[in-house]
Amino acid sequence: MLVSTALPVPPDGLSRLPQPQQPTKELPKMERGLSFTTGNAFYRRESAVGRDLSVLAAIAYKREHGQLRALDALCGCGVRAMRYLVQASADFVWANDACDHLRPGILDNLRAVAPPSCSSCPTERWKVSTQDANKLLLGCYLADDYYDLIDVDSHGSNSVFFGSALAALKRGGLVYVTSTDGFSCSKRPYNALASYGTFTRRLPFINEIGLRMVIAGVVREAATRNLRMRPLFSHYSAHGPVFRIMLRMEHGELDLRT
């Protein structure tokens, strides 16, 4: 015998049956006074301190040099690009992320803080693209389009971007690199050797080892191009862990005698 499992229909029709929920509109987030949306982009408010430091460095650079052209190679939702535009008064910011679906959200966030001068013309102060970061950086190098500040905030080891970032960096410019690869500075020495050319051991001060490991990777990559890099500051955050280092490309060629 078959047993029917159909739900009884209420007297007033279907009004009492569970209705499909409508998607809720995303509430904007706030960071240091700026309102923005993240969409599906990865965002951590705990990393705001690292962004604070890069904005301060950008402000100092513009005061010294009179201009600031920044490139955010892996911009996520675009909050870093927003802060460079508003808080560092950047003359131009290129916001790039390889994920095509993030483009509408990035455009909305940047338009909110630096709207184009007219609806039919491109903005003068910023640009958005969705390219592979290495292709974008090397394309800038080939076009002689160099930047004062290049921010590379990737997940895991970003040593794969060191060479292309240095290629697109102006002499005297700043590069802000990242690593969230905490295991390489403690438990996986061969990963560190492959990514940064450094063989690590598990020691009580592994956080400092992680920072020095990344610095060594950038300096070594620059040396292959006969370039000199000077670390300006480093920052460690336990929530990743996240290692962030700001370096400046020095003028003049590398002198191995010193």
Side-chain angles (χ1 to χ4, degrees):
M1 181 176 89
L2 297 176
V3 178
S4 174
T5 58
L7 295 174
V9 178
D12 57 347
L14 300 177
S15 61
R16 296 186 189 176
L17 293 178
Q19 300 296 314
Q21 295 184 351
Q22 297 296 323
T24 58
K25 186 177 180 180
E26 179 191 357
L27 295 176
K29 294 178 173 59
M30 294 289 295
E31 182 171 304
R32 308 301 189 247
L34 294 179
S35 175
F36 61 99
T37 58
T38 59
N40 295 324
F42 179 79
Y43 170 77
R44 266 185 171 166
R45 61 181 179 84
E46 297 90 346
S47 297
V49 174
R51 291 185 282 272
D52 294 342
L53 294 173
S54 66
V55 170
L56 289 172
I59 292 171
Y61 182 94
K62 184 166 184 181
R63 286 179 179 174
E64 180 180 356
H65 298 276
Q67 69 166 20
L68 176 66
R69 298 178 73 246
L71 192 156
D72 190 354
L74 299 106
C75 70
C77 64
V79 64
R80 280 188 303 273
M82 293 174 65
R83 296 189 61 180
Y84 287 137
L85 285 167
V86 176
Q87 297 166 346
S89 300
D91 300 285
F92 179 76
V93 175
W94 192 335
N96 176 76
D97 198 281
C99 298
D100 292 331
H101 67 276
L102 298 182
R103 182 181 177 88
I106 300 169
L107 288 170
D108 289 343
N109 287 332
L110 296 186
R111 285 173 182 148
V113 297
S117 55
C118 65
S119 59
S120 60
C121 61
T123 182
E124 297 85 3
R125 292 189 61 203
W126 53 265
K127 179 179 181 179
V128 174
S129 62
T130 52
Q131 300 182 47
D132 174 82
N134 274 323
K135 290 182 178 180
L136 171 66
L137 292 165
L138 291 174
C140 292
Y141 165 72
L142 293 172
D144 291 331
D145 183 20
Y146 301 105
Y147 285 80
D148 301 295
L149 190 155
I150 296 178
D151 194 321
V152 185
D153 186 13
S154 63
H155 178 72
S157 166
N158 72 350
S159 59
V160 68
F161 302 111
F162 289 169
S164 55
L166 294 175
L169 186 65
K170 183 184 293 185
R171 292 291 179 100
L174 309 176
V175 60
Y176 200 30
V177 297
T178 313
S179 174
T180 61
D181 185 13
F183 285 116
S184 288
C185 59
S186 57
K187 298 180 180 179
R188 299 172 183 169
Y190 289 99
N191 287 18
L193 187 62
S195 297
Y196 305 103
T198 304
F199 193 87
T200 58
R201 297 181 62 185
R202 187 171 180 83
L203 296 168
F205 43 91
I206 59 172
N207 298 335
E208 182 173 350
I209 290 177
L211 291 167
R212 290 176 179 270
M213 175 184 72
V214 180
I215 292 171
V218 179
V219 171
R220 186 176 293 107
E221 185 68 36
T224 65
R225 292 164 166 76
N226 203 25
L227 300 172
R228 295 188 296 133
M229 303 299 297
R230 182 182 296 275
L232 300 182
F233 64 81
S234 59
H235 175 65
Y236 167 78
S237 298
H239 66 268
V242 180
F243 304 94
R244 298 228 66 183
I245 300 99
M246 182 74 78
L247 302 99
R248 181 176 62 211
M249 182 182 289
E250 298 286 272
H251 290 279
E253 296 182 349
L254 181 67
D255 187 354
L256 298 177
R257 296 172 296 177
T258 58

